[in-house]
Amino acid sequence: MNFDVLKDKNVLMIVSGGIAAYKSVLLLRELTNCGASVQVVGTENSLNFVGKATWEALSGRQPLFGTFETPDSSKITHITLAQDVDLIIAAPATANIIAKAACGIADDLATSIFAAATAPVLIAPAMNSAMYRNPANLKNIETLQGRPGFHVMAPASGALACGSDGIGRMAEPHEITVEAAGLLSPKPARGTSWLVTGGATREYIDPVRFISNGSSGRTAFEIADAAHAAGGEVTLLGVNAEPAFNPGYTFLKSSTAAETAGIVKENVRNADIFIMTAAIADYSPVKAPSKIKKGEASISLTLDKTTDILAASADWTKPGAVRIGFAAETDDLEKNALAKLKRKKLDLIVANRVSDDFSPFGSESNSVLFITENSTEEFKNITKCKLAQLLVERAVAIYRVKHGND
Ligand code: CTP
Protein backbone atom coordinates (compact mmCIF):
# COMPACT_ATOMS: atom_id res chain seq x y z
CA MET A 1 0.00 0.00 0.00
CA ASN A 2 1.28 3.45 -0.89
CA PHE A 3 1.24 5.62 2.22
CA ASP A 4 2.94 8.57 0.48
CA VAL A 5 -0.50 10.09 -0.11
CA LEU A 6 -0.67 10.84 3.64
CA LYS A 7 2.49 12.97 3.52
CA ASP A 8 1.81 16.63 4.38
CA LYS A 9 -1.92 15.98 4.69
CA ASN A 10 -3.92 17.63 7.46
CA VAL A 11 -5.87 15.01 9.33
CA LEU A 12 -8.34 15.73 12.10
CA MET A 13 -8.72 12.81 14.47
CA ILE A 14 -11.88 12.68 16.58
CA VAL A 15 -11.54 10.50 19.66
CA SER A 16 -14.67 9.58 21.61
CA GLY A 17 -15.03 7.89 24.98
CA GLY A 18 -14.23 4.23 24.49
CA ILE A 19 -11.42 2.00 25.71
CA ALA A 20 -10.28 1.58 22.09
CA ALA A 21 -8.91 5.15 22.43
CA TYR A 22 -5.66 3.48 23.49
CA LYS A 23 -5.40 1.98 20.00
CA SER A 24 -5.93 5.45 18.50
CA VAL A 25 -2.68 6.48 20.16
CA LEU A 26 -0.97 3.97 17.84
CA LEU A 27 -3.07 5.22 14.93
CA LEU A 28 -1.89 8.77 15.60
CA ARG A 29 1.68 7.51 15.66
CA GLU A 30 1.25 5.69 12.36
CA LEU A 31 -0.35 8.70 10.66
CA THR A 32 2.42 11.05 11.80
CA ASN A 33 5.05 8.50 10.75
CA CYS A 34 3.52 8.69 7.26
CA GLY A 35 4.08 12.46 7.32
CA ALA A 36 0.53 13.61 8.14
CA SER A 37 -0.15 16.51 10.51
CA VAL A 38 -2.77 15.41 12.97
CA GLN A 39 -5.03 17.59 15.12
CA VAL A 40 -6.72 15.57 17.85
CA VAL A 41 -10.22 16.58 18.96
CA GLY A 42 -11.64 14.56 21.82
CA THR A 43 -14.98 14.33 23.54
CA GLU A 44 -14.93 15.04 27.26
CA ASN A 45 -15.55 11.35 27.96
CA SER A 46 -12.47 10.38 25.97
CA LEU A 47 -10.35 11.98 28.68
CA ASN A 48 -11.35 9.09 30.96
CA PHE A 49 -9.34 6.79 28.70
CA VAL A 50 -6.37 8.75 27.31
CA GLY A 51 -5.14 12.05 28.75
CA LYS A 52 -4.26 15.33 27.04
CA ALA A 53 -0.51 14.91 27.57
CA THR A 54 -0.39 11.73 25.46
CA TRP A 55 -2.18 13.31 22.51
CA GLU A 56 -0.10 16.47 22.76
CA ALA A 57 3.22 14.64 22.93
CA LEU A 58 2.44 12.44 19.94
CA SER A 59 0.73 14.96 17.67
CA GLY A 60 2.94 17.90 18.60
CA ARG A 61 -0.23 19.97 18.89
CA GLN A 62 -2.59 20.90 21.64
CA PRO A 63 -5.55 18.50 21.55
CA LEU A 64 -8.95 20.21 21.71
CA PHE A 65 -11.92 19.11 23.78
CA GLY A 66 -14.31 22.06 24.13
CA THR A 67 -16.30 24.12 21.62
CA PHE A 68 -14.85 27.33 23.00
CA GLU A 69 -11.21 26.26 22.98
CA THR A 70 -9.75 28.40 20.23
CA PRO A 71 -6.14 27.99 19.11
CA ASP A 72 -6.73 31.03 16.86
CA SER A 73 -9.38 33.36 18.32
CA SER A 74 -9.97 35.07 14.98
CA LYS A 75 -11.55 31.87 13.62
CA ILE A 76 -14.64 29.89 14.52
CA THR A 77 -12.98 26.70 15.68
CA HIS A 78 -15.37 23.94 14.67
CA ILE A 79 -15.91 25.35 11.17
CA THR A 80 -12.23 25.87 10.35
CA LEU A 81 -11.31 22.56 11.97
CA ALA A 82 -13.93 20.72 9.93
CA GLN A 83 -13.22 22.42 6.64
CA ASP A 84 -9.49 23.20 6.50
CA VAL A 85 -8.46 19.54 6.59
CA ASP A 86 -7.92 16.79 4.03
CA LEU A 87 -9.48 14.02 6.08
CA ILE A 88 -11.43 13.51 9.31
CA ILE A 89 -11.02 10.20 11.14
CA ALA A 90 -13.30 9.30 14.04
CA ALA A 91 -11.58 6.51 16.00
CA PRO A 92 -12.92 5.18 18.22
CA ALA A 93 -16.46 6.15 17.32
CA THR A 94 -18.85 5.12 20.09
CA ALA A 95 -22.54 4.30 19.57
CA ASN A 96 -23.30 7.70 21.10
CA ILE A 97 -21.19 9.79 18.72
CA ILE A 98 -22.39 7.72 15.73
CA ALA A 99 -26.01 8.39 16.76
CA LYS A 100 -25.35 12.11 17.12
CA ALA A 101 -23.54 12.31 13.78
CA ALA A 102 -26.37 10.39 12.07
CA CYS A 103 -28.98 12.81 13.45
CA GLY A 104 -26.92 15.96 12.94
CA ILE A 105 -26.72 16.73 16.67
CA ALA A 106 -23.87 19.14 17.31
CA ASP A 107 -23.63 19.62 21.06
CA ASP A 108 -19.86 19.59 21.52
CA LEU A 109 -16.74 20.29 19.45
CA ALA A 110 -16.40 16.74 18.07
CA THR A 111 -20.02 16.45 16.92
CA SER A 112 -20.04 20.02 15.56
CA ILE A 113 -17.12 19.00 13.34
CA PHE A 114 -19.13 16.08 11.92
CA ALA A 115 -21.99 18.48 11.19
CA ALA A 116 -19.76 21.00 9.40
CA ALA A 117 -17.42 18.53 7.62
CA THR A 118 -16.58 19.10 3.97
CA ALA A 119 -13.58 16.73 3.88
CA PRO A 120 -14.06 12.93 3.69
CA VAL A 121 -14.95 11.39 7.06
CA LEU A 122 -13.69 7.93 8.04
CA ILE A 123 -15.46 6.36 11.00
CA ALA A 124 -14.10 3.39 12.97
CA PRO A 125 -16.86 2.16 15.32
CA ALA A 126 -15.92 0.54 18.64
CA MET A 127 -18.42 -0.75 21.16
CA ASN A 128 -19.84 -3.78 22.93
CA SER A 129 -21.48 -6.27 20.53
CA ALA A 130 -25.00 -5.80 21.96
CA MET A 131 -24.67 -2.05 21.41
CA TYR A 132 -23.30 -2.64 17.93
CA ARG A 133 -26.14 -4.98 16.96
CA ASN A 134 -28.78 -2.70 18.42
CA PRO A 135 -31.12 -1.86 15.52
CA ALA A 136 -30.87 1.86 16.31
CA ASN A 137 -27.08 1.72 16.01
CA LEU A 138 -27.19 -0.32 12.78
CA LYS A 139 -29.69 2.16 11.34
CA ASN A 140 -27.41 5.06 12.32
CA ILE A 141 -24.43 3.37 10.65
CA GLU A 142 -26.52 2.79 7.52
CA THR A 143 -27.49 6.48 7.53
CA LEU A 144 -23.85 7.55 7.75
CA GLN A 145 -22.78 5.06 5.07
CA GLY A 146 -25.28 6.63 2.71
CA ARG A 147 -24.08 10.19 3.43
CA PRO A 148 -21.74 11.59 0.75
CA GLY A 149 -18.15 11.68 1.95
CA PHE A 150 -18.76 9.37 4.93
CA HIS A 151 -17.11 5.93 5.13
CA VAL A 152 -17.80 3.58 8.02
CA MET A 153 -15.33 0.75 8.63
CA ALA A 154 -16.63 -2.62 9.77
CA PRO A 155 -15.63 -3.42 13.35
CA ALA A 156 -13.82 -6.69 13.99
CA SER A 157 -14.93 -9.66 16.08
CA GLY A 158 -12.95 -10.84 19.09
CA ALA A 159 -12.39 -10.17 22.78
CA LEU A 160 -14.13 -7.00 23.97
CA ALA A 161 -13.24 -4.79 26.94
CA CYS A 162 -16.43 -5.87 28.77
CA GLY A 163 -15.03 -9.41 28.98
CA SER A 164 -17.30 -10.90 26.34
CA ASP A 165 -16.44 -12.00 22.84
CA GLY A 166 -18.18 -10.68 19.75
CA ILE A 167 -18.39 -8.02 17.08
CA GLY A 168 -17.55 -4.46 18.02
CA ARG A 169 -13.75 -4.23 18.30
CA MET A 170 -12.32 -1.19 16.59
CA ALA A 171 -10.42 -1.94 13.37
CA GLU A 172 -6.66 -2.14 13.95
CA PRO A 173 -4.69 1.12 13.63
CA HIS A 174 -2.87 -0.15 10.53
CA GLU A 175 -6.17 -1.05 8.86
CA ILE A 176 -7.47 2.46 9.53
CA THR A 177 -4.26 3.94 8.07
CA VAL A 178 -4.67 1.77 4.94
CA GLU A 179 -8.28 2.93 4.60
CA ALA A 180 -7.25 6.56 5.09
CA ALA A 181 -4.55 6.30 2.42
CA GLY A 182 -7.09 4.67 0.10
CA LEU A 183 -9.56 7.53 0.60
CA LEU A 184 -6.91 10.12 -0.26
CA SER A 185 -5.55 8.27 -3.30
CA PRO A 186 -6.39 9.45 -6.83
CA LYS A 187 -8.88 7.12 -8.58
CA PRO A 188 -7.61 6.55 -12.14
CA ALA A 189 -8.93 2.95 -12.09
CA ARG A 190 -12.52 3.91 -11.27
CA GLY A 191 -14.94 1.92 -13.42
CA THR A 192 -12.57 -0.99 -14.09
CA SER A 193 -12.79 -4.50 -12.67
CA TRP A 194 -9.67 -6.49 -11.80
CA LEU A 195 -8.75 -10.12 -11.22
CA VAL A 196 -5.42 -10.55 -9.45
CA THR A 197 -3.99 -13.95 -8.49
CA GLY A 198 -1.15 -14.60 -6.04
CA GLY A 199 0.49 -17.31 -3.99
CA ALA A 200 1.76 -20.81 -4.75
CA THR A 201 -0.15 -23.93 -5.73
CA ARG A 202 0.08 -27.17 -3.73
CA GLU A 203 0.06 -30.40 -5.67
CA TYR A 204 -0.58 -33.29 -3.32
CA ILE A 205 1.55 -36.42 -3.42
CA ASP A 206 -0.57 -38.09 -0.75
CA PRO A 207 -3.03 -36.75 1.87
CA VAL A 208 -0.21 -35.11 3.91
CA ARG A 209 2.54 -34.05 1.48
CA PHE A 210 2.56 -31.65 -1.39
CA ILE A 211 4.87 -30.04 -3.96
CA SER A 212 4.90 -26.26 -3.83
CA ASN A 213 7.20 -23.24 -4.16
CA GLY A 214 8.19 -20.18 -2.15
CA SER A 215 5.85 -17.57 -3.65
CA SER A 216 4.24 -15.75 -0.71
CA GLY A 217 1.55 -13.80 -2.59
CA ARG A 218 2.89 -10.46 -1.27
CA THR A 219 3.22 -8.90 -4.70
CA ALA A 220 -0.39 -9.82 -5.50
CA PHE A 221 -1.61 -8.34 -2.20
CA GLU A 222 0.23 -5.10 -2.97
CA ILE A 223 -1.24 -5.03 -6.48
CA ALA A 224 -4.75 -5.70 -5.14
CA ASP A 225 -4.32 -2.92 -2.54
CA ALA A 226 -3.00 -0.48 -5.14
CA ALA A 227 -5.77 -1.28 -7.65
CA HIS A 228 -8.40 -0.97 -4.90
CA ALA A 229 -6.94 2.35 -3.71
CA ALA A 230 -6.96 3.55 -7.33
CA GLY A 231 -10.73 2.96 -7.43
CA GLY A 232 -10.81 -0.45 -9.18
CA GLU A 233 -13.30 -3.20 -8.31
CA VAL A 234 -10.86 -5.92 -7.28
CA THR A 235 -11.18 -9.69 -6.98
CA LEU A 236 -8.11 -11.25 -5.40
CA LEU A 237 -7.59 -15.00 -5.79
CA GLY A 238 -5.25 -16.18 -3.03
CA VAL A 239 -3.58 -19.47 -3.88
CA ASN A 240 -2.74 -20.84 -0.41
CA ALA A 241 -2.12 -17.24 0.57
CA GLU A 242 -4.28 -14.70 2.35
CA PRO A 243 -3.63 -11.00 3.04
CA ALA A 244 -3.58 -9.92 6.69
CA PHE A 245 -6.13 -7.22 5.92
CA ASN A 246 -8.70 -6.89 3.15
CA PRO A 247 -9.51 -3.23 2.52
CA GLY A 248 -12.64 -4.13 0.56
CA TYR A 249 -11.98 -6.46 -2.32
CA THR A 250 -13.66 -9.77 -3.12
CA PHE A 251 -11.39 -12.52 -1.82
CA LEU A 252 -11.40 -16.03 -3.31
CA LYS A 253 -9.22 -19.01 -2.40
CA SER A 254 -7.74 -21.96 -4.24
CA SER A 255 -5.07 -24.55 -3.57
CA THR A 256 -4.16 -26.78 -6.53
CA ALA A 257 -3.39 -25.77 -10.12
CA ALA A 258 -6.61 -27.46 -11.29
CA GLU A 259 -8.76 -25.55 -8.74
CA THR A 260 -7.00 -22.30 -9.61
CA ALA A 261 -7.70 -22.86 -13.31
CA GLY A 262 -11.41 -23.41 -12.58
CA ILE A 263 -11.72 -20.24 -10.48
CA VAL A 264 -9.78 -18.12 -12.99
CA LYS A 265 -12.00 -19.43 -15.81
CA GLU A 266 -15.11 -18.52 -13.83
CA ASN A 267 -13.98 -14.99 -12.91
CA VAL A 268 -11.69 -13.72 -15.66
CA ARG A 269 -14.59 -13.19 -18.03
CA ASN A 270 -15.70 -10.24 -15.85
CA ALA A 271 -12.25 -8.65 -15.52
CA ASP A 272 -11.11 -5.59 -17.46
CA ILE A 273 -7.61 -6.12 -16.11
CA PHE A 274 -6.21 -9.57 -15.33
CA ILE A 275 -2.91 -9.91 -13.47
CA MET A 276 -1.56 -13.41 -12.91
CA THR A 277 1.22 -13.40 -10.32
CA ALA A 278 0.45 -16.83 -8.81
CA ALA A 279 3.25 -19.37 -9.11
CA ILE A 280 1.48 -22.35 -10.65
CA ALA A 281 2.97 -25.85 -10.67
CA ASP A 282 3.70 -26.93 -14.21
CA TYR A 283 3.40 -30.61 -13.22
CA SER A 284 1.28 -32.41 -10.69
CA PRO A 285 1.67 -35.90 -9.21
CA VAL A 286 -1.05 -38.52 -9.18
CA LYS A 287 -2.17 -38.29 -5.55
CA ALA A 288 -1.83 -41.53 -3.55
CA PRO A 289 -5.09 -42.29 -1.69
CA SER A 290 -3.28 -42.84 1.64
CA LYS A 291 -0.01 -41.72 3.21
CA ILE A 292 3.00 -43.19 1.39
CA LYS A 293 4.95 -45.26 3.94
CA LYS A 294 8.72 -45.12 4.21
CA GLY A 295 10.39 -48.28 2.86
CA GLU A 296 12.30 -48.28 -0.40
CA ALA A 297 15.72 -46.58 -0.61
CA SER A 298 14.40 -44.42 -3.44
CA ILE A 299 11.01 -43.83 -4.96
CA SER A 300 9.83 -42.03 -8.11
CA LEU A 301 6.90 -39.79 -8.69
CA THR A 302 5.09 -39.54 -12.00
CA LEU A 303 4.08 -35.99 -12.77
CA ASP A 304 1.46 -34.89 -15.28
CA LYS A 305 1.49 -31.50 -16.98
CA THR A 306 -1.05 -29.00 -15.62
CA THR A 307 -2.99 -26.44 -17.65
CA ASP A 308 -1.07 -23.27 -18.41
CA ILE A 309 -3.76 -21.07 -16.90
CA LEU A 310 -2.48 -17.78 -18.24
CA ALA A 311 -2.14 -19.12 -21.79
CA ALA A 312 -5.53 -20.85 -21.66
CA SER A 313 -7.21 -17.74 -20.23
CA ALA A 314 -6.66 -15.92 -23.55
CA ASP A 315 -9.84 -17.72 -24.66
CA TRP A 316 -11.75 -16.93 -21.47
CA THR A 317 -10.83 -13.23 -21.15
CA LYS A 318 -13.28 -10.44 -21.95
CA PRO A 319 -12.50 -8.81 -25.34
CA GLY A 320 -10.38 -5.69 -24.86
CA ALA A 321 -9.20 -6.71 -21.39
CA VAL A 322 -5.61 -6.07 -20.29
CA ARG A 323 -3.62 -9.26 -19.65
CA ILE A 324 -0.50 -9.19 -17.49
CA GLY A 325 1.76 -12.05 -16.45
CA PHE A 326 4.99 -12.59 -14.55
CA ALA A 327 8.06 -14.51 -15.63
CA ALA A 328 10.71 -15.86 -13.32
CA GLU A 329 13.84 -16.72 -15.31
CA THR A 330 17.34 -17.85 -14.49
CA ASP A 331 18.72 -17.31 -18.05
CA ASP A 332 18.07 -15.01 -21.02
CA LEU A 333 15.60 -12.96 -19.01
CA GLU A 334 14.40 -10.54 -21.67
CA LYS A 335 14.32 -13.04 -24.54
CA ASN A 336 12.44 -15.71 -22.54
CA ALA A 337 10.01 -13.21 -21.05
CA LEU A 338 9.22 -11.72 -24.46
CA ALA A 339 8.56 -15.21 -25.82
CA LYS A 340 6.14 -15.83 -22.90
CA LEU A 341 4.43 -12.48 -23.55
CA LYS A 342 3.70 -13.59 -27.12
CA ARG A 343 2.85 -17.20 -26.33
CA LYS A 344 0.42 -16.24 -23.58
CA LYS A 345 -1.07 -13.26 -25.52
CA LEU A 346 -0.16 -10.68 -22.89
CA ASP A 347 -0.10 -6.89 -22.99
CA LEU A 348 2.73 -6.74 -20.45
CA ILE A 349 4.98 -9.18 -18.65
CA VAL A 350 6.95 -8.49 -15.49
CA ALA A 351 10.27 -10.30 -15.74
CA ASN A 352 12.17 -11.33 -12.60
CA ARG A 353 15.68 -12.68 -12.57
CA VAL A 354 16.16 -15.66 -10.25
CA SER A 355 19.66 -16.83 -9.35
CA ASP A 356 21.42 -18.80 -6.65
CA ASP A 357 22.10 -15.47 -4.90
CA PHE A 358 18.69 -13.90 -5.32
CA SER A 359 15.10 -15.06 -5.36
CA PRO A 360 12.19 -12.58 -5.53
CA PHE A 361 10.10 -15.06 -3.49
CA GLY A 362 9.54 -13.64 -0.03
CA SER A 363 12.03 -10.78 -0.50
CA GLU A 364 11.20 -7.12 0.27
CA SER A 365 12.52 -5.60 -2.92
CA ASN A 366 13.14 -6.72 -6.43
CA SER A 367 14.70 -5.67 -9.74
CA VAL A 368 12.32 -6.22 -12.66
CA LEU A 369 11.70 -5.51 -16.30
CA PHE A 370 8.28 -4.41 -17.57
CA ILE A 371 8.16 -5.79 -21.11
CA THR A 372 5.50 -5.04 -23.72
CA GLU A 373 5.62 -5.93 -27.41
CA ASN A 374 7.54 -2.75 -28.21
CA SER A 375 9.07 -1.48 -24.97
CA THR A 376 11.23 -2.59 -22.06
CA GLU A 377 11.51 -0.61 -18.82
CA GLU A 378 13.93 -1.55 -16.07
CA PHE A 379 13.30 -0.90 -12.37
CA LYS A 380 16.16 -1.66 -10.01
CA ASN A 381 15.71 -2.48 -6.32
CA ILE A 382 12.13 -1.34 -6.00
CA THR A 383 9.89 -2.45 -3.16
CA LYS A 384 6.94 -4.71 -3.93
CA CYS A 385 4.69 -1.78 -2.97
CA LYS A 386 6.34 0.49 -5.57
CA LEU A 387 6.27 -2.30 -8.16
CA ALA A 388 2.52 -2.68 -7.54
CA GLN A 389 1.89 1.04 -7.91
CA LEU A 390 3.83 1.22 -11.18
CA LEU A 391 2.11 -1.88 -12.54
CA VAL A 392 -1.35 -0.55 -11.68
CA GLU A 393 -0.48 2.75 -13.43
CA ARG A 394 0.73 0.89 -16.55
CA ALA A 395 -2.30 -1.45 -16.54
CA VAL A 396 -4.73 1.49 -16.38
CA ALA A 397 -2.82 3.33 -19.12
CA ILE A 398 -2.96 0.27 -21.42
CA TYR A 399 -6.67 -0.16 -20.65
CA ARG A 400 -7.39 3.51 -21.47
CA VAL A 401 -5.47 3.25 -24.76
CA LYS A 402 -7.36 0.07 -25.73
CA HIS A 403 -10.66 1.72 -24.91
CA GLY A 404 -9.91 5.02 -26.56
CA ASN A 405 -10.49 7.19 -23.49
CA ASP A 406 -6.96 7.93 -22.35
N1 CTP B 1 1.41 -19.68 -15.36
C1 CTP B 1 0.15 -20.20 -15.43
N2 CTP B 1 -0.05 -21.56 -15.42
C2 CTP B 1 0.98 -22.40 -15.36
C3 CTP B 1 2.31 -21.89 -15.29
C4 CTP B 1 2.49 -20.52 -15.29
O1 CTP B 1 -0.81 -19.42 -15.50
N3 CTP B 1 0.75 -23.72 -15.35
C5 CTP B 1 1.61 -18.21 -15.41
C6 CTP B 1 2.30 -17.62 -14.18
O2 CTP B 1 1.34 -17.17 -13.25
C7 CTP B 1 3.06 -16.43 -14.78
C8 CTP B 1 3.36 -16.88 -16.18
O3 CTP B 1 2.45 -17.93 -16.49
O4 CTP B 1 2.26 -15.27 -14.83
C9 CTP B 1 4.76 -17.36 -16.38
O5 CTP B 1 5.10 -18.34 -15.43
P1 CTP B 1 6.54 -19.02 -15.41
O6 CTP B 1 6.59 -20.04 -14.31
O7 CTP B 1 7.62 -17.96 -15.44
O8 CTP B 1 6.60 -19.68 -16.83
P2 CTP B 1 6.05 -21.04 -17.41
O9 CTP B 1 5.03 -20.71 -18.44
O10 CTP B 1 5.68 -21.99 -16.35
O11 CTP B 1 7.34 -21.53 -18.22
P3 CTP B 1 8.72 -22.12 -17.64
O12 CTP B 1 8.40 -22.71 -16.28
O13 CTP B 1 9.10 -23.13 -18.65
O14 CTP B 1 9.66 -20.95 -17.59
Side-chain angles (χ1 to χ4, degrees), residues 134-200:
N134 183 302
N137 179 59
L138 294 177
K139 185 82 201 144
N140 291 332
I141 288 180
E142 200 185 311
T143 302
L144 290 179
Q145 265 160 344
R147 190 168 293 170
F150 279 67
H151 306 267
V152 185
M153 289 185 78
S157 291
L160 298 166
C162 55
S164 65
D165 231 39
I167 189 160
R169 280 166 67 96
M170 188 173 87
E172 292 305 314
H174 185 64
E175 297 172 1
I176 301 173
T177 310
V178 169
E179 201 74 16
L183 285 177
L184 292 173
S185 297
K187 304 285 177 233
R190 193 166 271 152
T192 56
S193 56
W194 298 60
L195 175 64
V196 181
T197 73

Side-chain angles (χ1 to χ4, degrees), residues 341-381:
L341 173 104
K342 290 184 179 152
R343 195 168 70 242
K344 303 194 189 208
K345 302 194 173 82
L346 305 177
D347 296 284
L348 189 153
I349 194 157
V350 181
N352 278 297
R353 194 183 307 280
V354 182
S355 67
D356 285 346
D357 302 328
F358 177 76
S359 163
F361 295 159
S363 79
E364 274 297 317
S365 64
N366 202 349
S367 292
V368 295
L369 301 177
F370 281 8
I371 301 174
T372 66
E373 198 152 16
N374 38 37
S375 70
T376 298
E377 287 180 280
E378 182 166 20
F379 301 101
K380 286 194 171 152
N381 290 320

Side-chain angles (χ1 to χ4, degrees), residues 276-278 280-282 306-310 325-329 340 343-344:
M276 183 87 189
T277 83
I280 310 292
D282 291 328
T306 60
T307 305
D308 186 323
I309 303 171
L310 190 54
F326 277 64
E329 306 290 343
K340 275 182 195 167
R343 195 168 70 242
K344 303 194 189 208

Side-chain angles (χ1 to χ4, degrees), residues 20-248:
Y22 85 91
K23 290 211 259 181
S24 300
V25 172
L26 304 175
L27 171 62
L28 168 58
R29 189 86 203 224
E30 203 167 323
L31 292 168
T32 53
N33 282 346
C34 292
S37 288
V38 184
Q39 171 66 59
V40 174
V41 170
T43 61
E44 245 178 76
N45 280 341
S46 75
L47 286 168
N48 293 313
F49 298 94
V50 178
K52 283 182 183 177
T54 305
W55 298 124
E56 187 162 359
L58 291 174
S59 68
R61 291 187 186 193
Q62 192 198 333
L64 301 171
F65 296 87
T67 313
F68 300 102
E69 269 180 301
T70 48
D72 175 352
S73 56
S74 65
K75 291 180 176 168
I76 305 169
T77 314
H78 65 277
I79 302 295
T80 50
L81 283 175
Q83 299 186 348
D84 288 357
V85 291
D86 299 294
L87 177 68
I88 297 170
I89 302 177
T94 58
N96 183 44
I97 204 165
I98 286 173
K100 286 184 182 176
C103 299
I105 294 172
D107 63 353
D108 63 6
L109 182 57
T111 49
S112 302
I113 287 169
F114 277 127
T118 50
V121 179
L122 176 60
I123 296 177
M127 64 199 76
N128 159 275
S129 46
M131 291 175 83
Y132 181 74
R133 285 207 202 90
N134 183 302
N137 179 59
L138 294 177
K139 185 82 201 144
N140 291 332
I141 288 180
E142 200 185 311
T143 302
L144 290 179
Q145 265 160 344
R147 190 168 293 170
F150 279 67
H151 306 267
V152 185
M153 289 185 78
S157 291
L160 298 166
C162 55
S164 65
D165 231 39
I167 189 160
R169 280 166 67 96
M170 188 173 87
E172 292 305 314
H174 185 64
E175 297 172 1
I176 301 173
T177 310
V178 169
E179 201 74 16
L183 285 177
L184 292 173
S185 297
K187 304 285 177 233
R190 193 166 271 152
T192 56
S193 56
W194 298 60
L195 175 64
V196 181
T197 73
T201 49
R202 291 181 182 176
E203 304 305 320
Y204 279 85
I205 297 167
D206 67 18
V208 290
R209 287 110 167 185
F210 54 79
I211 300 174
S212 191
N213 63 74
S215 182
S216 64
R218 274 245 349 247
T219 300
F221 304 158
E222 293 285 0
I223 294 169
D225 284 356
H228 173 75
E233 284 285 321
V234 179
T235 298
L236 172 65
L237 172 57
V239 186
N240 301 300
E242 191 161 344
F245 168 58
N246 177 348

Side-chain angles (χ1 to χ4, degrees), residues 377-394:
E377 287 180 280
E378 182 166 20
F379 301 101
K380 286 194 171 152
N381 290 320
I382 53 169
T383 60
K384 289 187 173 176
C385 168
K386 188 74 197 163
L387 187 157
Q389 258 175 270
L390 289 165
L391 193 60
V392 166
E393 274 169 29
R394 298 297 183 281

Side-chain angles (χ1 to χ4, degrees), residues 195 197 237 257-272 274 276 306-321 323 344-345:
L195 175 64
T197 73
L237 172 57
E259 263 172 42
T260 307
I263 297 176
V264 167
K265 187 171 186 183
E266 194 52 37
N267 289 276
V268 76
R269 65 181 70 149
N270 302 318
D272 298 310
F274 173 41
M276 183 87 189
T306 60
T307 305
D308 186 323
I309 303 171
L310 190 54
S313 71
D315 292 336
W316 313 329
T317 313
K318 193 168 165 178
R323 296 170 42 74
K344 303 194 189 208
K345 302 194 173 82

Side-chain angles (χ1 to χ4, degrees), residues 292-299:
I292 300 171
K293 300 304 272 179
K294 173 163 73 233
E296 308 296 316
S298 69
I299 60 166

